Amino acid sequence: MNRRGDIGALLERFGRGEVAAAARLISVLEDGGDEAERVLDAIFPGTGGAWRIGFTGPPGAGKSSLVHRVTGRMRARGHRIGIIAVDPTSPFTGGALLGDRIRMQSLSADPEVFVRSLASRGSLGGISNCTDETADLLDAFGKDIVLIETVGVGQSELEIAEKAHTVVVVLVPESGDGIQAMKAGLMEIGDVFVMNKADHEQAVGAAAELEETLRLKDVPDGAWVPRVVLASAREDTGIEDLVAVMVEHRRHLEERGLMEKMRRRILRARVRNAIMDRMERRLRESPSVRAVLERRMEAVYRGEASPYRVVRELEELVTIR
Amino acid sequence: MARKVRVLIAKPGLDGHDRGAKVVANALKDAGMEVIYTGLHQTPEMIAESAVQEDVDVVGLSILSGAHMTMFPRVLGLLREKGAADMLVFGGGIIPAEDVEELEKLGVARIFGPGTDTGDIVSFIRDRFPAN
């Protein structure tokens, strides 16, 4: 029992489709620890159905506004949508201002759309450490599409590629130098590129240039060729095209059995990361490991033992069968 | 991981002045809280639904239009309906003293008038969530 309430009762209400219970369970997941694991254990069998779509790109490119527009179109097609919007946590105060809802206002009136703002907290990668888990929860809650919007700085573009089936990279004509700096990573992970602010006078040129850059890349036969779409979230133009290309990408993955392959790859990486995190924590918290460090660091300081010698001594303490 | 206080700051109704709301949102952020700002022109339904989905601990409403006697009770009622009666609701804006009394009776935890030191709002929340 914690301030969030009894986990069993929350899970039961979650099962009945209660939004407040789902929201509270996401907070439990964010808090981490044993209760978070209990929630994940319980909901995990209900996951796997959702199409996870990442939206990334530089700050100010219009990710939130596009997510808003795309959600409107997807709702019209009968989808139930979950949105995870990540904003940065201040490394100085630990606080965060989560403002993505400002651009998604009309969605608050639609009960079939669940929007959750997450602060990046300790994560450096531009998405919260809890993104996968929150997506799982929305997935198990019956959302068949989960849109994940990254912070837009740091290595978010690379991390989102490990979490989403389809990655949409949002760019704007005037982001020029900013894009240059991010290009390498972005170019490699985008399935769909949106040149937003299509009403801008340089938009058509910028889109053509982008297309050209993408064509330089070798694409193996039968592989998905990244596409460029001109759109304007503000003017609400090009959104149909964008959605159509996203759907095409999904169909491409499904027809070739790639969706399942990707699902497995994503899960394998998650399990691996979770094991590493757990092992690291256990090592850090182990009194005997600490004792060896305490005792042997003097020898390292004096140059009598190399760092690796201490590692070998520690390894003898750890048994992995 | 330590719990973070999550706060929703919302502007219900038609008035278009959100400087106060933004100042408060920033002050709470600087105090280490996670603040969700919804923007202008929110209906009570939108505010309650956002507060529930975001699972906030605190809801702050900024009203300068004079509609406080309809907006606050509506939001409080909707939060109760949605199973979030435990959220702390406070307000800010230009609200006459007799209305303040009435609103506090209805369940608004506190009304902060013009000229409030943001530090007072921070400690008001911290006092109720001491772990953070």
Side-chain angles (χ1 to χ4, degrees), chain A residues 268-312:
Chain A
R268 189 171 278 274
R270 271 183 74 180
V271 170
R272 202 168 38 228
N273 289 340
I275 293 172
M276 294 306 167
D277 285 351
R278 177 65 54 90
M279 291 301 151
E280 191 192 321
R281 200 178 77 209
R282 284 188 62 185
L283 281 176
R284 225 182 8 237
E285 289 170 358
S286 152
S288 45
V289 169
R290 272 194 200 169
V292 169
L293 276 183
E294 231 23 66
R295 191 161 44 77
R296 295 294 286 152
M297 279 315 291
E298 266 317 309
V300 177
Y301 297 148
R302 287 196 299 268
E304 292 161 15
S306 83
Y308 297 98
R309 169 125 187 209
V310 177
V311 173
R312 284 196 300 276

Side-chain angles (χ1 to χ4, degrees), chain A residues 121-199:
Chain A
R121 297 198 179 173
S123 163
L124 296 174
I127 37 182
S128 156
N129 287 327
C130 197
T131 306
D132 284 323
E133 290 74 11
T134 303
D136 285 344
L137 194 113
L138 293 172
D139 186 342
F141 197 53
K143 302 301 179 191
D144 62 341
I145 296 181
V146 176
L147 303 170
I148 304 165
E149 184 196 328
T150 73
V151 168
V153 287
Q155 295 160 358
S156 51
E157 63 270 24
L158 306 180
E159 269 196 34
I160 195 66
E162 289 173 8
K163 303 183 185 304
H165 305 119
T166 300
V167 175
V168 179
V169 175
V170 183
L171 300 169
V172 283
E174 67 262 47
S175 40
D177 289 348
I179 301 174
Q180 293 301 332
M182 304 173 79
K183 226 169 199 170
L186 282 178
M187 287 298 165
E188 281 145 36
I189 57 113
D191 301 304
V192 183
F193 291 82
V194 185
M195 188 56 70
N196 192 23
K197 309 190 183 175
D199 45 326

Side-chain angles (χ1 to χ4, degrees), chain A residues 39-66:
Chain A
V39 172
L40 265 182
D41 289 348
I43 62 154
F44 198 76
T47 65
W51 178 21
R52 300 184 187 198
I53 306 171
F55 277 76
T56 189
K63 295 185 291 294
S64 301
S65 308
L66 269 176

Side-chain angles (χ1 to χ4, degrees), chain B:
Chain B
M1 190 186 281
R3 286 252 12 250
K4 287 262 179 213
V5 177
R6 285 169 67 86
V7 185
L8 185 90
I9 298 290
K11 282 280 315 171
L14 295 177
D15 85 77
H17 302 278
D18 64 349
R19 184 163 164 74
K22 283 178 175 162
V23 167
V24 170
N26 257 304
L28 299 180
K29 178 201 78 176
D30 289 342
M33 302 175 195
E34 292 183 353
V35 184
I36 294 121
Y37 180 54
T38 63
L40 295 165
H41 310 315
Q42 302 282 295
T43 65
E45 285 75 13
M46 289 159 87
I47 293 169
E49 188 62 29
S50 298
V52 167
Q53 291 183 1
E54 298 288 358
D55 188 32
V56 292
D57 307 287
V58 184
V59 178
L61 304 181
S62 162
I63 307 182
L64 302 170
S65 66
H68 48 270
M69 293 314 281
T70 47
M71 290 299 180
F72 278 104
R74 199 78 193 100
V75 170
L76 286 167
L78 285 164
L79 287 177
R80 265 194 297 274
E81 256 172 52
K82 291 172 188 286
D86 54 345
M87 284 178 192
L88 183 76
V89 177
F90 76 96
I94 304 163
I95 295 171
E98 60 267 31
D99 290 351
V100 170
E101 209 175 299
E102 181 69 28
L103 288 173
E104 288 181 349
K105 258 187 240 156
L106 289 170
V108 179
R110 182 78 68 83
I111 299 287
F112 295 96
T116 299
D117 185 333
T118 53
D120 292 345
I121 304 177
V122 169
S123 20
F124 162 78
I125 295 176
R126 277 212 182 120
D127 285 351
R128 281 151 188 83
F129 300 95
N132 295 270

